[in-house]
Amino acid sequence: FRRVLFRSDVSGRGVGMDVVKRNILSLGGTVDLESAPGRGTCISVRLPLTLAILDGMSVAVEDELYVLPLASIVESFQANDAAIKTLAGGESRVVKVREDYLPIVALDRAFSVSRLNDQPEQVMFVTLEAEGRRVALQVDRVVGQQQVVVKNLEANYRKVPNVSGATIMGDGRVALILDVGAMVRGARF
């Protein structure tokens, strides 16, 4: 029994990738291929944001809804006033979570949401992690987990700081999808 290997210019040379590329292009996406001898090949696939579905957690400040990417959420918790400290200068606050202090990003301040009611004694936080850092996002309430369709905000409006897109909720309201990386980078500690 002798094993014979057949090679041709067609089979095994990217014919399947050509089908994938044509389908991605038909959706309005792009495929980029970079190859270097001895180093390997990098294939980048980009799809329009309107085709992206995100597993997210909805949170609220007053009547405004926001969506956090589920992959960036570590935990949610309530803290009393004793766990919250103001740093020197009075502009930055931290919250004690077990043995660590996390910088607080107040969602109402980040998006200039008017407050109608006083804050409750127990403050709700969602711990977010990006780029190796963690912050505590202060919210009024956690609404729930759901999948949302991401809409590109820049194409329809403009670039908004700390926002990566928007979605239309089941009740017809628009919710902003937060850019967790930008929020973590902007947190002062």
Side-chain angles (χ1 to χ4, degrees), residues 145-158:
Q145 180 179 333
Q146 62 199 78
Q147 287 187 327
V148 296
V149 176
V150 179
K151 300 288 185 182
N152 187 341
L153 197 60
E154 285 184 59
N156 299 308
Y157 181 57
R158 64 178 168 85

Side-chain angles (χ1 to χ4, degrees), residues 12 18 52 58 93-94 99 106 109 113 154 157-159:
D18 184 55
S58 301
R93 298 180 309 145
V94 294
E99 299 304 315
R109 291 184 189 153
V113 176
E154 285 184 59
Y157 181 57
R158 64 178 168 85
K159 175 75 175 144

Side-chain angles (χ1 to χ4, degrees), residues 71-94:
S72 300
I73 297 174
V74 176
E75 65 180 327
S76 60
F77 63 95
Q78 286 187 317
N80 57 28
D81 288 337
I84 300 170
K85 306 290 183 200
T86 302
L87 299 179
E91 291 183 26
S92 298
R93 298 180 309 145
V94 294

Side-chain angles (χ1 to χ4, degrees), residues 4 35 43 57 88 92 128-129 131 149 153 162 164 168 172 178 182:
V4 179
S35 185
I43 302 170
M57 179 71 71
S92 298
L128 301 174
E129 183 172 33
E131 301 172 12
V149 176
L153 197 60
N162 298 324
S164 63
I168 300 171
L178 301 185

Side-chain angles (χ1 to χ4, degrees), residues 96-148:
K96 187 172 185 176
V97 181
R98 289 176 276 291
E99 299 304 315
D100 291 330
Y101 284 93
L102 297 177
I104 295 173
V105 176
L107 198 51
D108 62 329
R109 291 184 189 153
F111 290 99
S112 302
V113 176
S114 300
R115 306 226 36 95
L116 301 175
N117 302 318
D118 291 334
Q119 283 292 92
E121 290 181 21
Q122 294 283 322
V123 180
M124 177 64 77
F125 292 100
V126 178
T127 303
L128 301 174
E129 183 172 33
E131 301 172 12
R133 292 185 56 209
R134 290 185 178 186
V135 298
L137 183 69
Q138 183 179 344
V139 301
D140 287 351
R141 65 188 184 284
V142 173
V143 177
Q145 180 179 333
Q146 62 199 78
Q147 287 187 327
V148 296

Side-chain angles (χ1 to χ4, degrees), residues 6-18:
F6 294 98
R7 295 181 186 217
S8 72
D9 293 334
V10 178
S11 179
R13 302 284 185 211
V15 173
M17 286 297 291
D18 184 55

